[in-house]
Amino acid sequence: MIPFDSFAMVDWSGGNDTGPRPRRDAIWLGLVRQGREEPPRYLRNRALAQEAIAELIETERCAGRRLMVGFDFPFGFPAGFAEGLTGRADPFAVWDWFEDRISDDPSANNRFDVAAMANGLFPGTGPFWFNGLRRDIAGLERRDTRAGHGQRERRAADAPGTFTCWQMGGAGAVGGQVLTGLPVLNRLRRRFAGDVAVWPFEDLARPVAFVEIWPGLINEVVKQAEAAGGVRDAHQVRLMARALARLPETDLAAMLAIDAPEEGWIMGLGHEEKFSRAAEGLKPPPLRDDCFALPGGVDWTPADQALALLRARLHRVVGQEPVDLASGLGRVLGAPVTARRANPPHPNTAVDGYGFAYASLGEGDQTLPLIAGRVAAGVPYAGDVPFGSAIRVLTGAALPSGVDTVILQEDVSVGRGEIAFRAGIKPGANTRRAGEDVGEGETILAPGRVLTPADLALCAAVGVARLEVCLRLRVAIISTGDELAEAGETPREGQIFDANRPMLSALVRDFGYEVVDLGKVADDRETLRRALDRGAAEADVILTSGGASAGDEDHVSALLNDAGAMAEWRIAIKPGRPLALGLWRETPVFGLPGNPVAALVCALIFARPAMASLSGAGWFEPQGFDVQANFEKRKKPGRREYLRARMREGRAEVFKSEGSGRISGLSWAEGLVELPEAGAEIKPGDSVRYIPFASFLRG
């Protein structure tokens, strides 16, 4: 099967225009384009829906992307109906018949009359029923009193819980959806002739596929999403498009391997569990095989060029899941968050004081009668405050009717049943407007944000209890080399302790990701192959250290070369020239140098921003600062250099030795000084760029 790039889902409606405000029982469109989920679109009538679908087809076709569009109404009727209606057992003859007779505009359509017309071609009362109009229609019963029409009640694909296609009105009026939907599909099929295939009636080797899907297949997942608020129809199209996009190609092919040439079929019927699992979290497409390929003729790669290539070619590879606010800290937001209500939800007072109507004030100093009672936060005042009177109000209290201005209690003299204060207060003083912070329906957080405690407070304040977040990036870590021993073991002669794996594991956890520790691997190609296979199965990205160059025992590079997805980037930086990049079973591999100093620098400068993209947080750039140097250095031109450094008394000092084997310098340092590619002679007091290690942590 030729894979699809984009997946759309349409929740249809046979009714009239539903108005400008998004609502239920209307037309909704969900879309996942190249693994990226877009917010559901509300389409108020069928004319707009037809144009929106046509525009989507045109966009995807021009971009060279294959598109699957699902619709939630039957494409065919029970066997025998097509021949009884048109004389041919051809579902497209039925489509033509209804398109020729249905007239439809946003305010009205004649679906009930056309159903009666179709009934007249069959014996008895005919198969269609339920006249939803006030006027009687000859040939269309108001209730299901049919008899003798000779048609089967359901198709073979009509699962328990689905409604019969003969019902024209009332709850679950599938018949009304079919009669208004098929003409639209027929027009789109004709408009994009040769590019649209209708499943299961036609071969799907075309750029666009129309398929029939029933959202009830993922009903439990939809109910969970609906419990957090929002329109059910919008959740249905969003989650069903997500499920389609995330299904493995083998499962998708199995669901499409159906022979139903006249009745059609509900795609995914019998595969409800797979559909539901796929709907629970979005899985973006894998990286392209050439994502790490260098441009032709490039050998030595400047650091900026290497970073630009990574930024352009990497994207999110993790799925997503819903979590409660309590579990959201540090997670990457996977979908936009909109306010369920305004903050503040109603006008309120910002201070303890006295409230009144500003328009009731006269010239000069003021004296106002004070009415009984008070207004406190969470305890609204039941009545109206009379014009010209004041009432006691406490901070955070909703302003009662008749109050638009509050004076601070310290500025008031209180007498028996009255208050007095000086002239000069401004209208609306010491009050907060409803929604002055956040309006209802406003997008408050965008996808890719790493959630902070303040973000969670904002979500709670506007009534959002659950969030769609990206699954945590899983990072497999492998150390390679016969020379490595585990700390705590007794090393053999010539062995050293493995410092890289503990360092990289801790670094990855600091970034907010999950570690899959695959241990140390000897210089044996088959053992390393098995470790890489496990890493690809259990993780989203693999970090190796050692074996990334071109020597006899550099097995990481050799295996990636054998797999046909290896790029050895000789980057013009110090320390850490060789960086092996590749894909192992569609999982990105970063082959870091074996030297711990070089491994740390390459992990921070290259793997950190790359993993941020893979995690869904977007490209990451650490914050650097221009500071004065407290050291001397003569630097040759050609390579960017990173010196272990720390800040003392407002200046950057560097470690006493630049030797890349001096691991103690990593512990001594609190950041890096970055020196650009040009030659330089640095003296104390000169400006240099300092990047604290803390700048590389969570965004």
Side-chain angles (χ1 to χ4, degrees):
M1 185 189 80
I2 305 173
F4 290 89
D5 304 294
S6 302
F7 297 85
M9 178 68 204
V10 180
D11 189 305
W12 200 249
S13 173
N16 297 328
D17 188 292
T18 48
R21 188 178 181 86
R23 50 161 285 182
R24 61 191 297 271
D25 297 330
I27 301 175
W28 287 83
L29 171 66
L31 175 63
V32 176
R33 178 183 278 127
Q34 288 191 300
R36 298 188 181 277
E37 185 176 327
E38 300 188 4
R41 289 180 60 187
Y42 165 70
L43 302 166
R44 58 187 289 180
N45 59 56
R46 285 178 293 280
L48 289 175
Q50 179 174 316
E51 286 311 304
I53 298 166
E55 180 183 337
L56 174 61
I57 293 172
E58 190 65 42
T59 298
E60 300 306 284
R61 188 174 64 166
C62 290
R65 295 188 287 261
R66 296 197 76 222
L67 170 68
M68 176 182 286
V69 189
F71 298 87
D72 72 335
F73 57 82
F75 287 5
F77 289 86
F81 176 75
E83 187 164 358
L85 186 74
T86 69
R88 291 184 292 150
D90 178 3
F92 292 128
V94 176
W95 290 30
D96 291 336
W97 194 93
F98 284 119
E99 185 192 356
D100 288 343
R101 291 161 178 80
I102 288 285
S103 60
D104 192 3
D105 63 51
S107 60
N109 64 73
N110 66 340
R111 66 185 187 274
F112 296 108
D113 296 285
V114 173
M117 195 183 308
N119 277 347
L121 300 175
F122 292 87
T125 56
F128 291 104
W129 65 279
F130 198 112
N131 172 11
L133 302 180
R134 292 182 180 179
R135 61 179 172 86
D136 290 336
I137 300 176
L140 186 65
E141 300 293 331
R142 291 193 178 276
R143 292 180 297 172
D144 188 4
T145 56
R146 299 164 299 149
H149 55 74
Q151 295 300 301
R152 288 172 41 211
E153 192 62 21
R154 294 182 179 274
R155 304 176 302 161
D158 289 334
T162 59
F163 290 88
T164 171
C165 57
W166 307 124
Q167 183 179 341
M168 291 298 300
V174 173
Q177 294 181 339
V178 176
L179 267 63
T180 56
L182 292 183
V184 171
L185 297 192
N186 214 31
R187 286 190 288 271
L188 290 169
R189 179 171 170 262
R190 189 166 55 251
R191 178 170 172 176
F192 297 99
D195 283 342
V196 172
V198 179
W199 176 85
F201 308 139
E202 297 176 308
D203 188 282
L204 293 185
R206 297 183 190 174
V208 181
F210 287 172
V211 300
E212 177 190 337
I213 302 181
W214 181 45
L217 297 177
I218 59 167
N219 189 49
E220 291 305 312
V221 181
V222 172
K223 281 166 43 176
Q224 291 175 13
E226 189 181 13
V231 178
R232 178 181 176 86
D233 311 62
H235 287 307
Q236 287 186 159
V237 297
R238 175 177 64 88
L239 294 171
M240 187 59 81
R242 170 191 292 184
L244 289 170
R246 196 182 178 198
L247 282 170
E249 287 182 24
T250 52
D251 288 345
L252 199 60
M255 293 179 188
L256 293 171
I258 294 294
D259 182 24
E262 181 182 348
E263 292 190 339
W265 195 264
I266 297 172
M267 182 187 163
L269 186 64
H271 300 269
E272 289 84 348
E273 186 175 345
K274 290 181 179 178
F275 245 128
S276 294
R277 282 202 307 268
E280 287 174 342
L282 178 64
K283 180 69 173 178
L287 299 175
R288 298 175 64 91
D289 287 342
D290 62 351
C291 68
F292 293 128
L294 290 172
V298 172
D299 187 8
W300 281 97
T301 309
D304 281 341
Q305 183 178 355
L307 290 168
L309 287 170
L310 289 174
R311 182 172 189 170
R313 295 176 181 182
L314 299 181
H315 61 72
R316 176 181 139 191
V317 297
V318 294
Q320 62 189 52
E321 63 180 350
V323 298
D324 296 329
L325 285 186
S327 303
L329 182 63
R331 302 296 296 272
V332 178
L333 196 59
V337 179
T338 57
R340 296 189 62 193
R341 76 170 187 173
N343 183 51
H346 39 63
N348 67 84
T349 174
V351 298
D352 291 346
Y354 298 87
F356 47 84
Y358 179 82
S360 68
L361 301 182
E363 297 292 330
D365 295 343
Q366 305 293 316
T367 300
L368 298 178
L370 183 64
I371 67 172
R374 70 173 192 170
V375 191
V379 186
Y381 186 70
D384 298 340
V385 175
F387 190 75
S389 296
I391 190 171
R392 174 69 166 153
V393 295
L394 302 181
T395 302
L399 296 182
S401 176
V403 172
D404 59 21
T405 302
V406 173
I407 188 165
L408 191 67
Q409 66 182 17
E410 290 85 349
D411 295 334
V412 173
S413 296
V414 182
R416 187 172 296 177
E418 62 182 9
I419 62 171
F421 52 92
R422 295 286 187 182
I425 191 166
K426 296 180 180 179
N430 301 312
T431 64
R432 306 183 185 104
R433 301 186 315 276
E436 72 175 24
D437 180 22
V438 176
E440 181 179 354
E442 182 180 336
T443 298
I444 57 171
L445 297 173
R449 184 175 180 87
V450 180
L451 293 165
T452 66
D455 294 334
L456 302 181
L458 176 59
C459 290
V462 296
V464 176
R466 288 176 68 77
L467 300 166
E468 281 286 331
V469 299
C470 297
L471 297 173
R472 289 193 189 276
L473 189 75
R474 298 164 300 171
V475 183
I477 297 177
I478 304 173
S479 289
T480 67
D482 289 335
E483 75 277 15
L484 297 179
E486 201 79 35
E489 295 179 348
T490 302
R492 301 192 307 270
E493 185 177 353
Q495 281 193 312
I496 59 174
F497 292 118
D498 178 13
N500 281 345
R501 218 169 78 255
M503 176 182 69
L504 293 174
S505 295
L507 200 64
V508 165
R509 291 190 183 96
D510 257 351
F511 294 160
Y513 310 141
E514 291 183 6
V515 171
V516 179
D517 187 351
L518 298 184
K520 55 185 177 65
V521 177
D523 286 322
D524 176 77
R525 198 159 297 185
E526 288 308 309
T527 303
L528 179 58
R529 184 192 303 276
R530 289 193 295 271
L532 290 173
D533 283 345
R534 183 183 163 196
E538 298 181 16
D540 305 300
V541 60
I542 301 171
L543 291 186
T544 69
S545 60
S549 192
D552 292 343
E553 299 299 330
D554 290 319
H555 298 296
V556 173
S557 300
L559 283 173
L560 291 175
N561 269 318
D562 289 347
M566 159 71 182
E568 183 184 3
W569 289 18
R570 292 193 293 171
I571 301 172
I573 70 166
K574 177 185 178 181
R577 273 183 306 194
L579 183 64
L581 300 171
L583 294 176
W584 187 264
R585 301 188 185 280
E586 298 184 338
T587 302
V589 178
F590 286 78
L592 303 174
N595 184 298
V597 177
L600 178 68
V601 169
C602 285
L604 292 177
I605 303 302
F606 299 105
R608 170 58 171 129
M611 289 192 293
S613 284
L614 298 170
S615 76
W619 187 256
F620 176 89
E621 293 184 0
Q623 177 68 56
F625 304 89
D626 292 332
V627 301
Q628 288 185 334
N630 194 24
F631 62 91
E632 294 186 10
K633 177 177 173 59
R634 178 174 294 176
K635 179 190 175 297
K636 296 179 181 179
R639 289 198 284 170
R640 180 180 296 183
E641 294 189 19
Y642 291 92
L643 310 178
R644 285 152 282 177
R646 65 187 185 185
M647 294 293 296
R648 290 295 182 270
E649 298 180 355
R651 292 189 172 195
E653 60 183 34
V654 298
F655 190 57
K656 59 188 176 182
S657 169
E658 293 182 22
S660 56
R662 301 286 293 271
I663 302 177
S664 62
L666 293 178
S667 176
W668 173 92
E670 296 167 358
L672 300 172
V673 161
E674 180 185 74
L675 302 179
E677 285 79 358
E681 186 167 341
I682 300 167
K683 296 181 179 179
D686 289 347
S687 179
V688 293
R689 185 170 189 254
Y690 174 71
I691 310 174
F693 286 145
S695 288
F696 291 97
L697 301 184
R698 294 181 176 90

